[in-house]
Amino acid sequence: MRKIFVLIALACSLLVCAAAQAAQITDVKWGVNKEEVLRFVVDLTDNAGYAVDIEGSVLNLTVNASKGSQVAAQGIVKSALATSYQVVDKEHYTIVRVPLRQSLSESHYKSFTLKKDAQTNRPFRVVLDIMPAQRSVKAPMQSTAKAPAQSSVKAPAQTTAPVVSNRPVVSSRPTRPAGARPAQPSTPVKSTTSAAQSGTSVKSSTAAVKQPAPAPTETKQTTITSKKETKQPEKDKEKKEVKNSTSPKVVNASSKQTKIVGNGKFRTSGGLSGKIITLDAGHGGSDPGAIGSDGTKEKNITLAITKAVKELLEKKGAKVYMTRTTDVDVYGPNASDADELQARVNVGEKYNSDLFVSLHINSSVNKNVGGFSTYYYPKTSNDLRIAKSIQDQLTANFGVDDLGVRQANFYVIKRISMPATLVEMCFISNEKELVLMKGKWFQNKTARLIAAGIEKYFA
């Protein structure tokens, strides 16, 4: 009996070790948005539980996964909240330690997970957002679980990995916080992660000093530089929240703007001829969008490319409407976020469009980040399809990075009834891409490829 007991104990021990090894961290990224929210995104090979706590001036993100050999043990952060971080390998679990420059409490951070997405090639991720001292996480910004006090202990994670020491562990079940960019993200942030889906622009620990890109925004991942942002995700109860690479700003879903409701019908095949398409040139008027180092404004680039896309589509027989044709606010100068965004949605609904496409230029605190990305919200079976169709055309014909197709709950693509996508046409923060996007060659080619993606979608 004793031998049997020993064998059983040994087998259980091996199973626990194997479970602990099941998930592995493959990357650690960080990003900062316009509101100085610092986001960390941990990529994993599989689901894993995690915990967050503050020890003195150090914020710890503990993940029930081993550290991959490619993940750097430390990295540099450019933020008012921290200047560095360490990735400490404890064999069966890993701690991302962030020495803080400000005195923060539990109300200044939130955490959540993003599920693995095979379609967009996104891994399972644990996301940690750290707010400046003057800001705090409000109730609507809920994550998979409220950040626990250091002394409290929560139930073990629902994961094959063992609970780490006495740290409270949050369930590994992927959950997106309401209104977050990755439906969202995003990423945050304009993000090259996702965060995107996460979209905050997050930077990789594999090149700590060079600070690679996020999410995402995923997030964005998305640097939001203005009050009214067509890319902004919507949230039902909170006026403002973290923006993803800056993560996009969350807006109040309530609006004084009269909401137009279309007939709810749309066509998805049969060629371009006769199709009704609404094109949304991001930003405009009092909202410049992202701004390049030389003063170039996103709103001007998006308008030029959108006009070119309209001309190309009309030559193929489509009926095309634009949310704006000049440098103006769609609803009106200095309108609320919800009113401005709803005004853009209303254009698509008014004309009972078959498709809605919003065009933007990305931006990141990491000036080395570049490339194309497209976003969708899965309200119909065709939103992902149009996003992929345009992304495939852009990345197959340009020598820039393919940042992928990402899910996000941006207001204009979520709130509108017909299939819709939001396209990020390279980074205005990247000096090489800034030079490109100012040229007619880039603008015309980008317009041609977007039009080709739309045509293929309707084929």
Side-chain angles (χ1 to χ4, degrees):
M1 282 295 291
R2 185 175 180 181
K3 289 183 178 180
I4 293 175
F5 176 79
V6 171
L7 289 173
I8 292 175
L10 179 59
C12 291
S13 176
L14 291 174
L15 286 173
V16 169
C17 290
Q21 298 290 337
Q24 185 179 77
I25 294 175
T26 59
D27 204 358
V28 176
K29 311 180 183 78
W30 66 271
V32 182
N33 71 9
K34 185 181 177 182
E35 293 184 349
E36 291 301 318
V37 175
L38 174 60
R39 167 169 290 187
F40 282 90
V41 178
V42 179
D43 292 354
L44 298 112
T45 57
D46 201 355
N47 292 14
Y50 73 95
V52 184
D53 62 76
I54 295 180
E55 293 180 345
S57 63
V58 179
L59 184 61
N60 296 305
L61 170 59
T62 303
V63 183
N64 282 0
S66 59
K67 171 180 167 294
S69 59
Q70 75 275 28
V71 179
Q74 59 185 0
I76 294 175
V77 175
K78 292 184 179 180
S79 167
L81 293 167
T83 58
S84 64
Y85 66 93
Q86 297 83 42
V87 183
V88 183
D89 187 3
K90 295 293 186 178
E91 189 175 356
H92 298 321
Y93 66 92
T94 302
I95 306 175
V96 179
R97 299 188 188 277
V98 186
L100 300 171
R101 303 176 67 184
Q102 299 179 13
S103 178
L104 304 179
S105 64
E106 296 164 26
S107 66
H108 292 98
Y109 66 79
K110 69 165 185 162
S111 58
F112 55 93
T113 60
L114 298 172
K115 67 181 180 180
K116 185 175 182 179
D117 189 339
Q119 287 186 312
T120 57
N121 198 30
R122 300 293 174 189
F124 177 82
R125 284 146 292 161
V126 175
V127 181
L128 172 65
D129 283 343
I130 310 172
M131 322 296 171
Q134 65 271 23
R135 300 188 65 217
S136 61
V137 181
K138 294 184 173 64
M141 291 177 63
Q142 58 194 22
S143 62
T144 51
K146 182 179 179 181
Q150 183 177 344
S151 59
S152 66
V153 178
K154 287 188 183 251
Q158 298 175 7
T159 173
T160 54
V163 175
V164 177
S165 70
N166 65 349
R167 297 181 185 278
V169 180
V170 180
S171 168
S172 65
R173 180 170 55 87
T175 304
R176 290 189 172 93
R181 171 176 183 169
Q184 178 170 322
S186 188
T187 219
V189 245
K190 286 179 182 179
S191 168
T192 57
T193 299
S194 157
Q197 294 174 350
S198 180
T200 295
S201 183
V202 288
K203 314 186 186 210
S204 169
S205 65
T206 57
V209 178
K210 293 184 178 179
Q211 309 154 3
T217 183
E218 222 68 330
T219 130
K220 19 191 218 94
Q221 93 275 301
T222 302
T223 300
I224 305 306
T225 59
S226 62
K227 175 185 174 185
K228 297 183 290 296
E229 173 56 78
T230 308
K231 299 184 286 290
Q232 294 161 354
E234 62 93 8
K235 186 172 185 179
D236 290 338
K237 297 182 180 179
E238 190 172 20
K239 175 77 176 183
K240 293 183 180 180
E241 190 183 295
V242 181
K243 303 179 213 172
N244 253 347
S245 43
T246 45
S247 329
K249 169 169 62 172
V250 171
V251 301
N252 192 335
S254 62
S255 168
K256 295 178 182 178
Q257 167 79 310
T258 301
K259 295 181 180 180
I260 296 176
V261 180
N263 61 17
K265 300 177 181 179
F266 52 84
R267 297 164 291 179
T268 60
S269 61
L272 270 176
S273 182
K275 298 301 186 295
I276 302 172
I277 301 169
T278 294
L279 300 178
D280 174 39
H283 308 277
S286 62
D287 176 11
I291 301 176
S293 60
D294 62 353
T296 299
K297 298 175 181 178
E298 177 182 359
K299 66 176 183 178
N300 297 327
I301 304 297
T302 59
L303 183 58
I305 295 176
T306 304
K307 285 182 175 180
V309 175
K310 178 179 185 292
E311 184 179 348
L312 291 166
L313 293 176
E314 288 180 334
K315 287 181 178 179
K316 296 284 187 175
K319 179 63 177 177
V320 183
Y321 296 96
M322 292 176 61
T323 58
R324 67 183 182 94
T325 57
T326 58
D327 183 19
V328 295
D329 298 88
V330 178
Y331 181 77
N334 303 312
S336 69
D337 298 320
D339 282 337
E340 176 66 14
L341 300 182
Q342 185 60 45
R344 296 169 187 263
V345 169
N346 281 350
V347 176
E349 297 289 0
K350 176 181 178 180
Y351 296 107
N352 294 312
S353 302
D354 296 304
L355 180 66
F356 182 94
V357 180
S358 185
L359 302 183
H360 287 263
I361 302 295
N362 217 326
S363 183
S364 171
V365 292
N366 182 355
K367 295 185 178 181
N368 293 321
V369 177
F372 290 104
S373 56
T374 55
Y375 294 83
Y376 73 100
Y377 183 79
K379 61 186 184 293
T380 77
S381 60
N382 293 284
D383 294 86
L384 173 59
R385 192 165 68 85
I386 178 58
K388 287 177 65 66
S389 183
I390 292 177
Q391 181 73 7
D392 288 348
Q393 289 293 321
L394 290 171
T395 55
N397 294 280
F398 262 111
V400 298
D401 289 341
D402 178 1
L403 302 183
V405 175
R406 305 174 182 183
Q407 182 176 317
N409 68 344
F410 298 150
Y411 192 105
V412 295
I413 60 175
K414 179 179 180 179
R415 285 273 169 167
I416 204 156
S417 63
M418 73 282 309
T421 186
L422 187 148
V423 185
E424 294 283 8
M425 305 174 293
C426 289
F427 283 70
I428 203 168
S429 52
N430 181 303
E431 295 301 320
K432 292 182 180 179
E433 293 186 353
L434 172 59
V435 173
L436 280 176
M437 68 180 62
K438 291 191 299 181
K440 287 295 183 182
W441 173 85
F442 174 92
Q443 294 175 13
N444 291 334
K445 183 173 182 179
T446 301
R448 187 171 67 253
L449 294 173
I450 290 173
I454 294 173
E455 183 175 15
K456 185 176 180 181
Y457 163 80
F458 281 113

